[in-house]
Amino acid sequence: MSTLPRSNTIYDGAEMLVLQAQLGDWDNLNHLIICKSSGQATIVDPFSGRYWARVCGERGYTLTSALLTHSHWDHSKGVAGLLKVIPEVRVWVHQLESGRGWEGPDTDRWDHSPLTSVDFHLGNLTFKVHCTPGHTPGHVTICGHGIVLSGDCLFLGRCGRTDLFGGDMRAQHESLIYLKSILAEFPEDWLVLPGHQYALADGSNPTFTTVGELLVGNAALAAAGDWDEFSRLEFLSFDDSLAVRARRQRAKTREHSH
Ligand SMILES: [Fe+2]
């Protein structure tokens, strides 16, 4: 179908291939990671499961898993469809996402503590899955083999909002301090692949950047380590319908706990 959104090759190395596509009306970026030697693939934050099952089918990859950086609707929407067309696919999400009411569908849950990591294997590739809460209670950031999949924890110019149900500004600050030290150890040319394509302050609208550029140009990372400066950042909360809903959800949770 010519109407399908394009997936672009954004990384092509000896061991790994990465395809990126912008799907849906919320600027979501989806990433398909392929282990070249095994032909196994994992999709990160699928907006459409059928789309990625089709891409893998056409190219001869075996889609073995889906990884959710977090459970927000626009990052997990494709899971149900994916399980329908590939019932054996493993769907990973962090257990702490239940703190915002996530009940699946998924098949496997990470349960490591915030600011620690566990390994995830895809064929012959091994990634570190870091638990970086703040945008949501169990957000993860996935790193390895020259890429950083930052979901809604870190966008290219800023970080994710912390005012939605289950969000936590202090946890986000701690996660960014943690990530900053981890990113500083990576080669500067590693790619940062966020969960959304949001325009930068200079008006450009890239879909990825490098670790070197992120460490210099990301306003949230720049403020991390200085709570007063961080807590004043204007993109941590917004005056919109999502914030109203989050306030209602928090009030309801308080009612139930009394
Ligand atoms: Fe999100």
Side-chain angles (χ1 to χ4, degrees):
M1 280 191 294
S2 57
T3 52
L4 279 182
R6 259 176 68 83
S7 53
N8 299 308
T9 300
I10 55 164
Y11 181 97
D12 191 354
E15 305 172 301
M16 180 179 77
L17 182 70
V18 180
L19 302 184
Q20 183 188 62
Q22 194 278 306
L23 299 183
D25 296 332
W26 293 268
D27 307 308
N28 285 87
L29 292 172
N30 284 199
H31 296 97
L32 184 76
I33 318 296
I34 300 115
C35 165
K36 282 191 173 176
S37 59
S38 66
Q40 290 183 24
T42 189
I43 179 64
V44 180
D45 293 349
F47 191 84
S48 165
R50 289 174 192 278
Y51 173 84
W52 289 109
R54 185 186 166 118
V55 168
C56 288
E58 283 173 357
R59 292 170 174 252
Y61 309 139
T62 309
L63 189 52
T64 51
S65 57
L67 311 181
L68 306 185
T69 61
H70 64 299
S71 61
H72 277 158
W73 172 84
D74 56 327
H75 294 254
S76 56
K77 178 180 161 293
V79 168
L82 187 60
L83 283 164
K84 226 169 250 172
V85 288
I86 310 177
E88 65 275 19
V89 76
R90 310 304 301 190
V91 179
W92 286 86
V93 66
H94 200 289
Q95 168 62 26
L96 288 170
E97 286 295 272
S98 62
R100 61 166 297 273
W102 170 256
E103 294 176 338
D106 57 56
T107 66
D108 297 84
R109 292 193 176 187
W110 294 297
D111 62 358
H112 51 306
S113 305
L115 316 186
T116 67
S117 69
V118 292
D119 287 349
F120 177 79
H121 301 285
L122 171 69
N124 298 308
L125 306 175
T126 303
F127 295 90
K128 291 269 181 224
V129 179
H130 298 274
C131 183
T132 52
H135 177 67
T136 61
H139 192 291
V140 299
T141 301
I142 303 159
C143 306
H145 299 277
I147 60 171
V148 175
L149 294 145
S150 59
D152 286 2
C153 179
L154 270 177
F155 302 126
L156 300 187
R158 54 183 169 95
C159 71
R161 62 194 292 180
T162 58
D163 60 335
L164 300 179
F165 184 60
D168 184 324
M169 199 196 288
R170 286 198 179 268
Q172 179 76 336
H173 186 230
E174 295 302 313
S175 289
L176 294 184
I177 292 170
Y178 170 80
L179 274 182
K180 199 167 166 177
S181 68
I182 286 169
L183 293 169
E185 298 295 314
F186 293 155
E188 290 202 336
D189 64 350
W190 274 34
L191 298 182
V192 181
L193 312 174
H196 290 268
Q197 181 181 9
Y198 291 149
L200 299 178
D202 66 5
S204 64
N205 200 7
T207 60
F208 61 91
T209 190
T210 61
V211 164
E213 283 174 17
L214 189 86
L215 286 170
V216 172
N218 186 286
L221 279 182
D226 182 334
W227 170 252
D228 287 339
E229 192 186 336
F230 179 78
S231 60
R232 283 197 301 267
L233 293 172
E234 79 283 1
F235 46 73
L236 298 176
S237 61
F238 294 91
D239 188 14
D240 61 9
S241 62
L242 291 175
V244 171
R245 201 168 117 203
R247 277 197 291 275
R248 264 193 226 122
Q249 283 171 297
R250 276 192 291 271
K252 211 166 156 190
T253 308
R254 274 195 295 272
E255 251 167 50
H256 286 305
S257 64
H258 288 303

